[in-house]
Amino acid sequence: MQRKARQMATKSARWILRGGGAGVVMAVAAVAWLPAAAAKETLSLEQARVSFRIAEAPAAALSVGDAQKILEKAPKNRAAVTIVGRIAAREGEDPFLDGSASFVMMDLPDDDHSSKKGHDADNCPFCKRRKAKAALAAVQFVDDDGAVVAIDARKLFGLRGGEKVVVRGQGYFNPKLPFPIVQLNAEGI
């Protein structure tokens, strides 16, 4: 287990050395989650998929930014939260962590600007500016022992970058980190 944790820390350090937003986001999240970083391969794909699926999307989901505000005021900056957002990372970075049930998500746009037919958010200057300032959440799915599930989130849930998701779990926000990010140990999607 310690070897797996060291490997994850090394992988995180490589991301930092490569530079960039999501690499730093996931590296910060990985360091914060290091005690549970040794991913387990005990759950089968189908068992994990069924155990994390939420039957219906909760009506009271928060934006990533609103969840951050609530967590800042919560005792020990921790609370159960349900967050809605888009799977995405900073410009040019992959929001997924290979081989791990983890991803980065950010706030959804406040308006329907990006939902117009033919809109290309990747080439829209307004969307790029908004994305650079959006609140972020590092989401990881953990087993009963608190270890990150060692199944790629894309494979586990059939996810793609840019998708809207609702996740529920135990949130944490450390205002002292140099990179503000909500950390979520997800219990359901």
Side-chain angles (χ1 to χ4, degrees):
M1 187 185 272
Q2 288 177 344
R3 190 173 88 203
K4 284 264 192 191
R6 281 194 306 270
Q7 289 171 339
M8 182 129 174
T10 301
K11 192 173 189 179
S12 298
R14 286 185 192 130
W15 278 357
I16 290 171
L17 292 174
R18 275 193 277 166
V24 173
V25 169
M26 292 303 284
V28 168
V31 170
W33 294 325
L34 203 50
K40 289 194 173 183
E41 299 178 29
T42 56
L43 286 178
S44 75
L45 179 65
E46 195 55 36
Q47 287 173 323
R49 185 177 290 138
V50 169
S51 70
F52 290 117
R53 283 284 182 194
I54 299 173
E56 292 182 30
L62 302 166
S63 70
V64 177
D66 287 344
Q68 179 178 326
K69 291 174 189 170
I70 287 171
L71 292 169
E72 284 177 15
K73 296 175 185 173
K76 297 185 181 180
N77 301 105
R78 298 176 190 275
V81 293
T82 301
I83 302 174
V84 62
R86 184 169 317 283
I87 296 175
R90 298 289 185 219
E91 188 68 34
E93 295 293 332
D94 186 0
F96 295 99
L97 180 59
D98 291 336
S100 176
S102 306
F103 57 85
V104 176
M105 63 188 281
M106 60 179 40
D107 273 333
L108 292 169
D110 292 335
D111 57 28
D112 65 347
H113 167 81
S114 63
S115 64
K116 294 179 181 172
K117 187 176 180 178
H119 182 266
D120 182 6
D122 291 332
N123 293 314
C124 173
F126 178 73
C127 291
K128 284 183 178 182
R129 208 171 25 257
R130 180 183 279 174
K131 188 176 180 180
K133 295 179 184 178
L136 296 173
V139 179
Q140 68 175 8
F141 291 83
V142 295
D143 64 17
D144 293 335
D145 296 328
V148 179
V149 175
I151 303 171
D152 196 292
R154 292 167 285 208
K155 182 177 178 182
L156 180 59
F157 302 117
L159 298 174
R160 291 171 283 143
E163 268 190 277
K164 177 182 173 182
V165 293
V166 177
V167 290
R168 175 181 64 206
Q170 290 297 313
Y172 173 70
F173 180 75
N174 183 349
K176 296 177 183 175
L177 288 176
F179 195 85
I181 184 167
V182 171
Q183 298 170 42
L184 185 69
N185 281 346
E187 299 161 359
I189 184 168

